[in-house]
Amino acid sequence: NAGVTQTPKFRVLKTGQSMTLLCAQDMNHEYMYWYRQDPGMGLRLIHYSVGEGTTAKGEVPDGYNVSRLKKQNFLLGLESAAPSQTSVYFCASTFTDPGGYGYTFGSGTRLTVV
Amino acid sequence: AQTVTQSQPEMSVQEAETVTLSCTYDTSENNYYLFWYKQPPSRQMILVIRQEAYKQQNATENRFSVNFQKAAKSFSLKISDSQLGDTAMYFCAFMKHNTGKLIFGQGTTLQVKP
């Protein structure tokens, strides 16, 4: 049981390049989330999904797109990377009844945009 | 909108002693959950303790306990018998009932000294 797996773990991009971060979970969770973590600011929600084929905006969605074509996967895309998107990105998933139990985080992706 | 505030950026404690981390939050909701997460240098987000707002009894998990003051919107974490392995960043987080979306504070870096 791998839990929540994020790939890649590290990446360096040049300004203007695009990339996709992949999040995969094997716990049959309905809800999935993408957060970013910046120094001194805690984690902030970028986008989330409450089920296959659904996505919604979080607190800081600008510059990102997401897709949930399969229940187990949640992709985060950067179409034209900017230095302001340098951050650590966390994916998380949870059950349909998100009372906090079963909330599982991936190990994070450190992205640097130069 | 809900906000979570951790007013102590850094704290230190001697091994085997007790330390309390502060957290306040602002919400007009009545049904919600509060959490403390630990993030060691490995970057993994680890759930330390969880409190349901409708429960008056303070949550306890081994050496970790909370002081939940709903009227004052305060949620502090007490770590007893501090261990070197407790050295980490600690985040307080809020979740509105049935949303699954976590709102994090800025974090407190705790160092346990031998």
Side-chain angles (χ1 to χ4, degrees):
Chain A
N1 189 345
V4 176
T5 303
Q6 292 183 232
T7 52
K9 297 193 184 308
F10 303 92
R11 184 73 184 270
V12 178
L13 281 181
K14 293 183 179 179
T15 298
Q17 287 185 321
S18 63
M19 79 163 293
T20 299
L21 281 67
L22 171 63
C23 177
Q25 53 95 1
D26 60 1
M27 298 170 287
N28 202 34
H29 284 173
E30 287 291 338
Y31 288 25
M32 297 187 74
Y33 312 84
W34 277 107
Y35 291 88
R36 61 177 288 172
Q37 181 179 17
D38 301 300
M41 299 187 72
L43 281 74
R44 293 179 292 167
L45 182 64
I46 306 171
H47 285 281
Y48 64 100
S49 168
V50 299
E52 181 178 316
T54 73
T55 62
K57 294 180 180 180
E59 181 186 358
V60 288
D62 294 343
Y64 305 95
N65 57 76
V66 288
S67 64
R68 182 100 181 266
L69 299 179
K70 293 183 178 181
K71 185 177 182 178
Q72 63 267 33
N73 295 335
F74 194 30
L75 280 63
L76 178 71
L78 286 74
E79 291 187 348
S80 179
S84 61
Q85 294 177 305
T86 293
S87 189
V88 178
Y89 292 85
F90 286 93
C91 178
S93 70
T94 189
F95 299 109
T96 305
D97 178 16
Y101 287 126
Y103 210 104
T104 305
F105 284 89
S107 58
T109 295
R110 180 175 294 278
L111 175 66
T112 302
V113 183
V114 298
Chain B
Q2 291 82 18
T3 58
V4 178
T5 302
Q6 294 178 248
S7 59
Q8 305 154 315
E10 297 180 353
M11 292 194 71
S12 64
V13 62
Q14 291 296 131
E15 194 175 7
E17 294 189 344
T18 296
V19 63
T20 299
L21 308 184
S22 300
C23 173
T24 58
Y25 60 96
D26 187 25
T27 184
S28 58
E29 301 292 332
N30 197 42
N31 293 327
Y32 53 88
Y33 307 94
L34 295 164
F35 308 86
W36 279 98
Y37 278 92
K38 172 185 177 181
Q39 187 181 46
S42 67
R43 220 166 55 196
Q44 187 67 40
M45 295 291 288
I46 302 166
L47 177 64
V48 175
I49 201 164
R50 171 184 180 275
Q51 175 80 42
E52 298 171 359
Y54 66 85
K55 289 188 176 180
Q56 293 185 339
Q57 186 174 4
N58 289 327
T60 299
E61 290 287 345
N62 301 314
R63 297 184 294 109
F64 299 88
S65 62
V66 298
N67 183 4
F68 174 47
Q69 301 290 326
K70 190 173 184 179
K73 296 179 182 175
S74 172
F75 184 61
S76 60
L77 174 70
K78 185 171 81 171
I79 305 174
S80 303
D81 187 24
S82 297
Q83 301 176 359
L84 296 178
D86 295 334
T87 292
M89 175 82 83
Y90 287 82
F91 290 99
C92 178
F94 170 99
M95 180 192 292
K96 178 183 171 183
H97 177 66
N98 213 29
T99 65
K101 295 185 283 185
L102 286 166
I103 298 170
F104 287 86
Q106 304 92 322
T108 296
T109 301
L110 175 68
Q111 183 178 13
V112 180
K113 298 180 179 179

Short mmCIF file of all heavy atoms in Angstrom, two decimals, chain B residues 44-93:
data_model
loop_
_atom_site.label_atom_id
_atom_site.label_comp_id
_atom_site.label_asym_id
_atom_site.label_seq_id
_atom_site.Cartn_x
_atom_site.Cartn_y
_atom_site.Cartn_z
N GLN B 44 7.70 15.25 5.15
CA GLN B 44 6.44 14.52 5.24
C GLN B 44 5.50 15.22 6.22
O GLN B 44 5.93 15.66 7.28
CB GLN B 44 6.70 13.08 5.70
CG GLN B 44 5.48 12.19 5.67
CD GLN B 44 4.99 11.92 4.26
OE1 GLN B 44 5.78 11.73 3.33
NE2 GLN B 44 3.69 11.92 4.08
N MET B 45 4.24 15.31 5.87
CA MET B 45 3.22 15.90 6.76
C MET B 45 2.63 14.78 7.60
O MET B 45 2.04 13.83 7.06
CB MET B 45 2.13 16.59 5.95
CG MET B 45 2.62 17.79 5.17
SD MET B 45 3.08 19.16 6.24
CE MET B 45 1.48 19.71 6.80
N ILE B 46 2.75 14.90 8.91
CA ILE B 46 2.32 13.85 9.83
C ILE B 46 1.25 14.41 10.77
O ILE B 46 1.48 15.41 11.45
CB ILE B 46 3.51 13.33 10.66
CG1 ILE B 46 4.61 12.79 9.73
CG2 ILE B 46 3.07 12.25 11.65
CD1 ILE B 46 5.94 12.58 10.42
N LEU B 47 0.10 13.77 10.81
CA LEU B 47 -0.96 14.22 11.71
C LEU B 47 -0.58 13.90 13.15
O LEU B 47 -0.27 12.76 13.48
CB LEU B 47 -2.28 13.53 11.36
CG LEU B 47 -3.47 13.85 12.26
CD1 LEU B 47 -3.83 15.33 12.16
CD2 LEU B 47 -4.66 12.98 11.91
N VAL B 48 -0.60 14.91 14.00
CA VAL B 48 -0.26 14.74 15.41
C VAL B 48 -1.52 14.52 16.24
O VAL B 48 -1.60 13.58 17.03
CB VAL B 48 0.49 15.99 15.94
CG1 VAL B 48 0.73 15.86 17.45
CG2 VAL B 48 1.80 16.17 15.20
N ILE B 49 -2.52 15.39 16.02
CA ILE B 49 -3.71 15.33 16.85
C ILE B 49 -4.85 16.05 16.15
O ILE B 49 -4.61 16.96 15.34
CB ILE B 49 -3.42 15.92 18.24
CG1 ILE B 49 -4.43 15.44 19.29
CG2 ILE B 49 -3.32 17.43 18.19
CD1 ILE B 49 -3.96 15.67 20.72
N ARG B 50 -6.07 15.64 16.45
CA ARG B 50 -7.27 16.15 15.77
C ARG B 50 -8.34 16.45 16.82
O ARG B 50 -8.52 15.68 17.76
CB ARG B 50 -7.76 15.10 14.79
CG ARG B 50 -9.09 15.34 14.13
CD ARG B 50 -9.42 14.12 13.27
NE ARG B 50 -10.68 14.23 12.59
CZ ARG B 50 -11.85 13.90 13.12
NH1 ARG B 50 -11.91 13.45 14.35
NH2 ARG B 50 -12.96 14.02 12.42
N GLN B 51 -9.05 17.55 16.62
CA GLN B 51 -10.11 17.94 17.56
C GLN B 51 -11.38 18.27 16.78
O GLN B 51 -11.33 19.01 15.80
CB GLN B 51 -9.68 19.18 18.36
CG GLN B 51 -10.72 19.76 19.28
CD GLN B 51 -10.84 19.00 20.58
OE1 GLN B 51 -9.85 18.61 21.19
NE2 GLN B 51 -12.07 18.82 21.05
N GLU B 52 -12.49 17.73 17.21
CA GLU B 52 -13.78 18.07 16.61
C GLU B 52 -14.39 19.20 17.43
O GLU B 52 -14.44 19.12 18.67
CB GLU B 52 -14.69 16.85 16.60
CG GLU B 52 -14.12 15.72 15.76
CD GLU B 52 -14.90 14.44 15.90
OE1 GLU B 52 -15.88 14.41 16.66
OE2 GLU B 52 -14.53 13.45 15.25
N ALA B 53 -14.86 20.23 16.77
CA ALA B 53 -15.31 21.44 17.47
C ALA B 53 -16.49 21.19 18.40
O ALA B 53 -16.66 21.88 19.40
CB ALA B 53 -15.66 22.52 16.46
N TYR B 54 -17.32 20.19 18.08
CA TYR B 54 -18.51 19.96 18.91
C TYR B 54 -18.17 19.17 20.17
O TYR B 54 -19.03 19.01 21.05
CB TYR B 54 -19.59 19.25 18.11
CG TYR B 54 -19.25 17.85 17.66
CD1 TYR B 54 -19.47 16.75 18.50
CD2 TYR B 54 -18.72 17.61 16.41
CE1 TYR B 54 -19.17 15.47 18.10
CE2 TYR B 54 -18.42 16.33 15.99
CZ TYR B 54 -18.64 15.26 16.84
OH TYR B 54 -18.33 14.00 16.43
N LYS B 55 -16.96 18.67 20.26
CA LYS B 55 -16.53 17.93 21.45
C LYS B 55 -15.85 18.88 22.43
O LYS B 55 -14.87 19.55 22.08
CB LYS B 55 -15.58 16.79 21.07
CG LYS B 55 -16.25 15.65 20.35
CD LYS B 55 -15.30 14.48 20.16
CE LYS B 55 -16.01 13.30 19.51
NZ LYS B 55 -15.09 12.14 19.32
N GLN B 56 -16.35 18.94 23.64
CA GLN B 56 -15.75 19.82 24.64
C GLN B 56 -14.46 19.24 25.21
O GLN B 56 -13.57 19.98 25.63
CB GLN B 56 -16.74 20.09 25.76
CG GLN B 56 -17.95 20.91 25.31
CD GLN B 56 -18.87 21.26 26.47
OE1 GLN B 56 -18.84 20.61 27.50
NE2 GLN B 56 -19.67 22.29 26.29
N GLN B 57 -14.38 17.91 25.22
CA GLN B 57 -13.20 17.28 25.80
C GLN B 57 -11.99 17.50 24.91
O GLN B 57 -12.04 17.30 23.69
CB GLN B 57 -13.44 15.78 25.97
CG GLN B 57 -12.32 15.05 26.69
CD GLN B 57 -12.67 13.60 26.96
OE1 GLN B 57 -13.71 13.12 26.54
NE2 GLN B 57 -11.78 12.91 27.65
N ASN B 58 -10.88 17.89 25.53
CA ASN B 58 -9.65 18.12 24.79
C ASN B 58 -9.06 16.79 24.31
O ASN B 58 -8.99 15.82 25.07
CB ASN B 58 -8.63 18.85 25.66
CG ASN B 58 -9.02 20.29 25.91
OD1 ASN B 58 -9.63 20.94 25.05
ND2 ASN B 58 -8.71 20.80 27.08
N ALA B 59 -8.58 16.76 23.07
CA ALA B 59 -7.98 15.56 22.51
C ALA B 59 -6.60 15.32 23.11
O ALA B 59 -5.87 16.25 23.45
CB ALA B 59 -7.88 15.68 21.00
N THR B 60 -6.26 14.03 23.23
CA THR B 60 -4.95 13.62 23.76
C THR B 60 -4.45 12.44 22.95
O THR B 60 -5.22 11.53 22.63
CB THR B 60 -5.06 13.21 25.24
OG1 THR B 60 -5.53 14.31 26.00
CG2 THR B 60 -3.72 12.77 25.78
N GLU B 61 -3.16 12.49 22.61
CA GLU B 61 -2.50 11.38 21.93
C GLU B 61 -1.13 11.20 22.56
O GLU B 61 -0.17 11.88 22.23
CB GLU B 61 -2.33 11.68 20.43
CG GLU B 61 -3.61 11.67 19.63
CD GLU B 61 -4.18 10.28 19.41
OE1 GLU B 61 -3.44 9.28 19.61
OE2 GLU B 61 -5.36 10.18 19.04
N ASN B 62 -1.05 10.28 23.50
CA ASN B 62 0.20 9.99 24.20
C ASN B 62 0.78 11.27 24.82
O ASN B 62 0.17 11.84 25.71
CB ASN B 62 1.19 9.33 23.24
CG ASN B 62 0.64 8.04 22.67
OD1 ASN B 62 0.11 7.21 23.40
ND2 ASN B 62 0.74 7.88 21.35
N ARG B 63 1.93 11.73 24.37
CA ARG B 63 2.57 12.91 24.97
C ARG B 63 1.99 14.24 24.46
O ARG B 63 2.40 15.31 24.92
CB ARG B 63 4.07 12.87 24.67
CG ARG B 63 4.81 11.69 25.26
CD ARG B 63 6.30 11.78 24.99
NE ARG B 63 6.60 11.66 23.55
CZ ARG B 63 7.02 12.67 22.81
NH1 ARG B 63 7.20 13.87 23.34
NH2 ARG B 63 7.29 12.49 21.53
N PHE B 64 1.09 14.15 23.51
CA PHE B 64 0.54 15.35 22.89
C PHE B 64 -0.89 15.58 23.37
O PHE B 64 -1.71 14.65 23.38
CB PHE B 64 0.55 15.20 21.36
CG PHE B 64 1.93 15.01 20.77
CD1 PHE B 64 2.47 13.74 20.65
CD2 PHE B 64 2.66 16.09 20.36
CE1 PHE B 64 3.74 13.57 20.11
CE2 PHE B 64 3.93 15.93 19.81
CZ PHE B 64 4.47 14.66 19.69
N SER B 65 -1.18 16.80 23.74
CA SER B 65 -2.54 17.15 24.14
C SER B 65 -2.83 18.57 23.68
O SER B 65 -1.91 19.35 23.38
CB SER B 65 -2.71 17.03 25.66
OG SER B 65 -1.84 17.93 26.33
N VAL B 66 -4.12 18.89 23.59
CA VAL B 66 -4.50 20.22 23.16
C VAL B 66 -5.33 20.90 24.24
O VAL B 66 -5.93 20.25 25.09
CB VAL B 66 -5.30 20.20 21.83
CG1 VAL B 66 -4.44 19.62 20.71
CG2 VAL B 66 -6.61 19.45 22.00
N ASN B 67 -5.31 22.23 24.18
CA ASN B 67 -6.19 23.04 25.01
C ASN B 67 -7.10 23.78 24.02
O ASN B 67 -6.68 24.76 23.40
CB ASN B 67 -5.41 24.01 25.87
CG ASN B 67 -6.31 24.82 26.78
OD1 ASN B 67 -7.53 24.61 26.83
ND2 ASN B 67 -5.73 25.75 27.51
N PHE B 68 -8.31 23.28 23.86
CA PHE B 68 -9.27 23.82 22.90
C PHE B 68 -10.23 24.75 23.62
O PHE B 68 -10.99 24.32 24.49
CB PHE B 68 -10.02 22.67 22.22
CG PHE B 68 -11.13 23.10 21.31
CD1 PHE B 68 -10.95 24.11 20.38
CD2 PHE B 68 -12.37 22.47 21.38
CE1 PHE B 68 -11.98 24.49 19.54
CE2 PHE B 68 -13.41 22.84 20.54
CZ PHE B 68 -13.21 23.86 19.62
N GLN B 69 -10.16 26.01 23.28
CA GLN B 69 -11.04 27.03 23.85
C GLN B 69 -11.90 27.59 22.72
O GLN B 69 -11.48 28.51 22.01
CB GLN B 69 -10.22 28.14 24.51
CG GLN B 69 -9.30 27.67 25.63
CD GLN B 69 -10.07 27.25 26.85
OE1 GLN B 69 -11.12 27.80 27.17
NE2 GLN B 69 -9.53 26.24 27.54
N LYS B 70 -13.09 27.01 22.55
CA LYS B 70 -13.91 27.35 21.39
C LYS B 70 -14.34 28.81 21.39
O LYS B 70 -14.31 29.47 20.36
CB LYS B 70 -15.14 26.44 21.32
CG LYS B 70 -15.91 26.56 20.02
CD LYS B 70 -17.02 25.52 19.93
CE LYS B 70 -17.73 25.60 18.57
NZ LYS B 70 -18.81 24.58 18.46
N ALA B 71 -14.76 29.31 22.53
CA ALA B 71 -15.23 30.70 22.59
C ALA B 71 -14.10 31.68 22.28
O ALA B 71 -14.31 32.69 21.60
CB ALA B 71 -15.81 30.99 23.96
N ALA B 72 -12.92 31.35 22.73
CA ALA B 72 -11.76 32.21 22.48
C ALA B 72 -11.11 31.92 21.14
O ALA B 72 -10.20 32.63 20.73
CB ALA B 72 -10.74 32.04 23.60
N LYS B 73 -11.56 30.87 20.45
CA LYS B 73 -11.00 30.43 19.17
C LYS B 73 -9.49 30.22 19.30
O LYS B 73 -8.68 30.75 18.53
CB LYS B 73 -11.35 31.43 18.07
CG LYS B 73 -12.86 31.51 17.84
CD LYS B 73 -13.24 32.50 16.76
CE LYS B 73 -14.76 32.55 16.64
NZ LYS B 73 -15.21 33.59 15.68
N SER B 74 -9.16 29.42 20.29
CA SER B 74 -7.77 29.11 20.57
C SER B 74 -7.58 27.60 20.61
O SER B 74 -8.45 26.86 21.11
CB SER B 74 -7.39 29.71 21.92
OG SER B 74 -6.12 29.29 22.33
N PHE B 75 -6.43 27.15 20.10
CA PHE B 75 -6.18 25.70 19.97
C PHE B 75 -4.69 25.47 20.14
O PHE B 75 -3.94 25.39 19.19
CB PHE B 75 -6.66 25.24 18.59
CG PHE B 75 -6.56 23.75 18.36
CD1 PHE B 75 -7.26 22.86 19.14
CD2 PHE B 75 -5.79 23.26 17.31
CE1 PHE B 75 -7.19 21.49 18.91
CE2 PHE B 75 -5.71 21.89 17.07
CZ PHE B 75 -6.40 21.02 17.87
N SER B 76 -4.23 25.34 21.37
CA SER B 76 -2.81 25.20 21.63
C SER B 76 -2.42 23.73 21.77
O SER B 76 -3.24 22.90 22.18
CB SER B 76 -2.40 25.99 22.88
OG SER B 76 -3.10 25.51 24.00
N LEU B 77 -1.18 23.43 21.44
CA LEU B 77 -0.64 22.07 21.51
C LEU B 77 0.40 22.01 22.62
O LEU B 77 1.34 22.79 22.63
CB LEU B 77 0.01 21.69 20.18
CG LEU B 77 0.74 20.35 20.15
CD1 LEU B 77 -0.26 19.19 20.23
CD2 LEU B 77 1.59 20.22 18.88
N LYS B 78 0.22 21.06 23.52
CA LYS B 78 1.19 20.82 24.58
C LYS B 78 1.93 19.52 24.31
O LYS B 78 1.31 18.48 24.10
CB LYS B 78 0.53 20.76 25.96
CG LYS B 78 1.53 20.65 27.09
CD LYS B 78 0.89 20.80 28.45
CE LYS B 78 0.25 19.52 28.91
NZ LYS B 78 -0.19 19.60 30.34
N ILE B 79 3.25 19.61 24.31
CA ILE B 79 4.09 18.42 24.13
C ILE B 79 4.79 18.18 25.46
O ILE B 79 5.57 19.02 25.93
CB ILE B 79 5.13 18.61 23.00
CG1 ILE B 79 4.43 19.02 21.70
CG2 ILE B 79 5.94 17.33 22.81
CD1 ILE B 79 5.39 19.36 20.57
N SER B 80 4.51 17.04 26.05
CA SER B 80 5.12 16.69 27.33
C SER B 80 6.32 15.77 27.09
O SER B 80 6.39 15.06 26.09
CB SER B 80 4.10 15.97 28.22
OG SER B 80 2.96 16.76 28.41
N ASP B 81 7.28 15.82 28.05
CA ASP B 81 8.44 14.93 27.94
C ASP B 81 9.05 15.02 26.54
O ASP B 81 9.21 14.01 25.83
CB ASP B 81 8.05 13.49 28.26
CG ASP B 81 9.22 12.55 28.33
OD1 ASP B 81 10.35 13.01 28.58
OD2 ASP B 81 9.01 11.34 28.07
N SER B 82 9.41 16.21 26.13
CA SER B 82 9.90 16.44 24.77
C SER B 82 11.08 15.54 24.43
O SER B 82 11.97 15.30 25.26
CB SER B 82 10.33 17.90 24.61
OG SER B 82 9.23 18.77 24.78
N GLN B 83 11.06 15.05 23.20
CA GLN B 83 12.12 14.18 22.71
C GLN B 83 12.81 14.82 21.51
O GLN B 83 12.23 15.65 20.81
CB GLN B 83 11.53 12.81 22.33
CG GLN B 83 10.85 12.12 23.48
CD GLN B 83 10.17 10.82 23.08
OE1 GLN B 83 10.17 10.43 21.91
NE2 GLN B 83 9.57 10.15 24.05
N LEU B 84 14.05 14.40 21.26
CA LEU B 84 14.81 14.97 20.14
C LEU B 84 14.05 14.78 18.82
O LEU B 84 14.11 15.63 17.93
CB LEU B 84 16.20 14.33 20.06
CG LEU B 84 17.12 14.60 21.25
CD1 LEU B 84 18.44 13.87 21.07
CD2 LEU B 84 17.36 16.09 21.43
N GLY B 85 13.33 13.68 18.70
CA GLY B 85 12.56 13.41 17.49
C GLY B 85 11.37 14.33 17.30
O GLY B 85 10.74 14.32 16.24
N ASP B 86 11.06 15.14 18.30
CA ASP B 86 9.96 16.11 18.16
C ASP B 86 10.41 17.36 17.41
O ASP B 86 9.57 18.19 17.05
CB ASP B 86 9.43 16.51 19.54
CG ASP B 86 8.78 15.35 20.29
OD1 ASP B 86 8.29 14.41 19.62
OD2 ASP B 86 8.78 15.39 21.53
N THR B 87 11.70 17.50 17.19
CA THR B 87 12.21 18.64 16.43
C THR B 87 11.61 18.64 15.03
O THR B 87 11.75 17.67 14.29
CB THR B 87 13.75 18.59 16.34
OG1 THR B 87 14.29 18.80 17.65
CG2 THR B 87 14.27 19.66 15.39
N ALA B 88 10.90 19.71 14.70
CA ALA B 88 10.17 19.78 13.42
C ALA B 88 9.46 21.12 13.32
O ALA B 88 9.45 21.91 14.25
CB ALA B 88 9.13 18.65 13.35
N MET B 89 8.85 21.32 12.16
CA MET B 89 7.91 22.43 11.98
C MET B 89 6.52 21.89 12.34
O MET B 89 6.16 20.78 11.94
CB MET B 89 7.92 22.90 10.53
CG MET B 89 6.91 23.97 10.20
SD MET B 89 7.44 25.62 10.65
CE MET B 89 8.45 25.99 9.21
N TYR B 90 5.75 22.68 13.10
CA TYR B 90 4.40 22.28 13.49
C TYR B 90 3.40 23.27 12.91
O TYR B 90 3.54 24.48 13.05
CB TYR B 90 4.27 22.23 15.02
CG TYR B 90 4.98 21.05 15.61
CD1 TYR B 90 6.35 21.09 15.85
CD2 TYR B 90 4.30 19.88 15.93
CE1 TYR B 90 7.02 20.00 16.37
CE2 TYR B 90 4.96 18.78 16.46
CZ TYR B 90 6.32 18.85 16.67
OH TYR B 90 6.97 17.76 17.19
N PHE B 91 2.38 22.70 12.26
CA PHE B 91 1.34 23.50 11.65
C PHE B 91 0.01 23.24 12.33
O PHE B 91 -0.39 22.09 12.52
CB PHE B 91 1.20 23.18 10.17
CG PHE B 91 2.35 23.62 9.32
CD1 PHE B 91 3.34 22.73 8.95
CD2 PHE B 91 2.43 24.93 8.88
CE1 PHE B 91 4.41 23.14 8.16
CE2 PHE B 91 3.50 25.35 8.09
CZ PHE B 91 4.48 24.44 7.74
N CYS B 92 -0.68 24.33 12.63
CA CYS B 92 -2.06 24.27 13.07
C CYS B 92 -2.93 24.40 11.82
O CYS B 92 -2.59 25.16 10.89
CB CYS B 92 -2.32 25.43 14.03
SG CYS B 92 -3.99 25.56 14.66
N ALA B 93 -4.04 23.67 11.77
CA ALA B 93 -4.89 23.72 10.57
C ALA B 93 -6.35 23.63 10.95
O ALA B 93 -6.72 23.01 11.96
CB ALA B 93 -4.52 22.60 9.61
#
